[in-house]
Amino acid sequence: KKNDFRDADMAAELLRTGKYTETKLLQGQYADLRAAYHTYESLNRERVRAINLLNALLDSFFPEFHTVFKETSSKTALAVLATFPSPHVIAGMSIEKYVDAVLTKFKGQHVIRKKLSAVYQAAQHSVGIQAGAGVISYEISLLVERIFLLTEHRRKAEDLCVVLLDSIPESQYLLSVPGVGHLGIAGILGELGPLNHYHNAKQLIKMAGINPIQLESAGKKASHTPMSKKGRPLLRHCLWEASLNILNHNEEFRAWAKRLQDRPLHKNPLGKRETRGAVCRRLLWLIYALFTKHSFY
């Protein structure tokens, strides 16, 4: 049976044999980099949440708006909503007065006139609900102001991450990899910390939780081999985003990934998601090699 005495015996045995690891808290530039990237991710999540709330309101209040703009967070879309959040107000004025009001308020910014005209035409035949239009318009205005503010704060946090990353001398070697940007490397180094604390690249892979594990229960095994996902989730997120950029902009990684997908059936060809997981693993091996050898890609 499992009891507190057995737990104490196990802890004492681990201390006696030295089979434990000491926690190493980040210090200096790495601690600042991790905090800055966490701030960036927090602002980004809050901005996405505000955009989703805005889309939910527009679905019932001005559903035709989505036929004009695929992205509600675009500059022209936010300019229209910040000036006239209600389609009923747009429909009740002339197109010249409406366009001039938007261009005047956002003078000097890239606002597409063709989109403004399309919104005006959509507002003439809008089937959106009119009950509580004043309060909904006010809520839309508040969400647009919040999105503008969060966008500006996110830009400042991004600039801070870039400055902190450039202060780490070894980051120049990691940035030499085609397809990897400052934010991706900032997130990876912020979560991993100094790479000289690791003995090999396998420890990086285990820290990210992308090492494959075998699922087995009652003698039955799963048909696929998933990631363990026992590491840091934000590190996996950074690697997953970086893998997509690498496959789009790095010819060598793209050719290697294609070979994994096109190999014969008896050699276990990988699917698209499995290939991206393999790219994440290969990227960590590459990062560890460049960092330890102080060499460019």
Side-chain angles (χ1 to χ4, degrees):
K1 296 181 179 180
K2 184 176 176 62
N3 50 52
D4 294 339
F5 296 101
R6 286 181 60 90
D7 292 343
D9 290 342
M10 179 61 70
E13 182 66 16
L14 292 177
L15 288 173
R16 185 185 70 83
T17 57
K19 295 181 179 179
Y20 61 90
T21 58
E22 296 182 3
T23 302
K24 295 182 179 180
L25 299 178
L26 295 182
Q27 303 292 337
Q29 299 168 330
Y30 286 94
D32 294 338
L33 182 61
R34 184 177 184 182
Y37 190 80
H38 281 205
T39 302
Y40 169 81
E41 276 297 320
S42 176
L43 291 170
N44 194 41
R45 287 193 298 268
E46 191 173 350
R47 180 177 179 271
V48 171
R49 190 180 301 112
I51 292 174
N52 291 336
L53 291 174
L54 179 61
N55 288 330
L57 288 177
L58 291 174
D59 286 339
S60 58
F61 188 58
F62 192 5
E64 296 80 8
F65 193 83
H66 295 298
T67 62
V68 180
F69 297 99
K70 293 183 179 180
E71 295 291 338
T72 314
S73 58
S74 63
K75 291 183 178 180
T76 305
L78 292 178
V80 173
L81 294 176
T83 310
F84 301 107
S86 174
H88 313 298
V89 175
I90 298 176
M93 58 194 311
S94 64
I95 185 172
E96 293 82 6
K97 184 178 179 181
Y98 153 72
V99 173
D100 290 341
V102 176
L103 294 179
T104 302
K105 186 172 182 179
F106 290 88
K107 186 177 181 180
Q109 298 189 22
H110 183 64
V111 179
I112 304 175
R113 288 176 173 266
K114 185 177 180 181
K115 292 287 186 179
L116 297 181
S117 301
V119 171
Y120 182 82
Q121 298 299 329
Q124 301 300 317
H125 309 284
S126 178
V127 296
I129 60 175
Q130 299 187 16
V135 177
I136 296 177
S137 300
Y138 176 69
E139 189 174 356
I140 290 177
S141 301
L142 293 180
L143 286 173
V144 172
E145 291 179 9
R146 187 187 305 175
I147 292 172
F148 278 129
L149 183 62
L150 290 173
T151 302
E152 179 63 20
H153 288 175
R154 188 185 64 167
R155 184 191 62 79
K156 293 181 180 179
E158 182 178 347
D159 294 340
L160 178 60
C161 288
V162 173
V163 172
L164 292 173
L165 182 64
D166 290 338
S167 65
I168 300 176
E170 293 83 357
S171 64
Q172 58 180 328
Y173 306 116
L174 310 185
L175 291 172
S176 64
V177 180
V180 180
H182 281 79
L183 275 179
I185 295 299
I188 293 172
L189 285 184
E191 289 297 303
L192 289 174
L195 297 186
N196 52 17
H197 289 174
Y198 301 88
H199 299 295
N200 50 58
K202 292 182 179 179
Q203 293 181 337
L204 273 65
I205 296 171
K206 193 172 182 179
M207 176 67 75
I210 61 175
N211 53 307
I213 58 172
Q214 183 66 49
L215 293 182
E216 182 177 355
S217 178
K220 297 181 180 179
K221 297 182 180 180
S223 59
H224 64 285
T225 306
M227 296 180 180
S228 67
K229 294 186 178 180
K230 292 182 179 180
R232 294 182 173 173
L234 187 56
L235 176 57
R236 282 197 305 276
H237 171 73
C238 295
L239 290 170
W240 191 258
E241 293 295 327
S243 66
L244 181 61
N245 293 331
I246 286 178
L247 290 176
N248 290 335
H249 301 95
N250 194 311
E251 294 293 339
E252 295 180 0
F253 267 85
R254 189 186 308 165
W256 175 76
K258 185 173 177 55
R259 289 198 302 269
L260 294 181
Q261 293 178 340
D262 298 341
R263 60 190 181 187
L265 187 61
H266 66 277
K267 291 187 177 181
N268 187 26
L270 302 183
K272 290 185 178 180
R273 292 180 63 86
E274 295 172 331
T275 302
R276 286 187 65 179
V279 171
C280 294
R281 180 185 178 94
R282 187 180 179 91
L283 177 61
L284 282 179
W285 278 95
L286 178 62
I287 287 176
Y288 185 78
L290 296 178
F291 190 93
T292 54
K293 296 180 180 179
H294 294 82
S295 61
F296 293 94
Y297 181 76

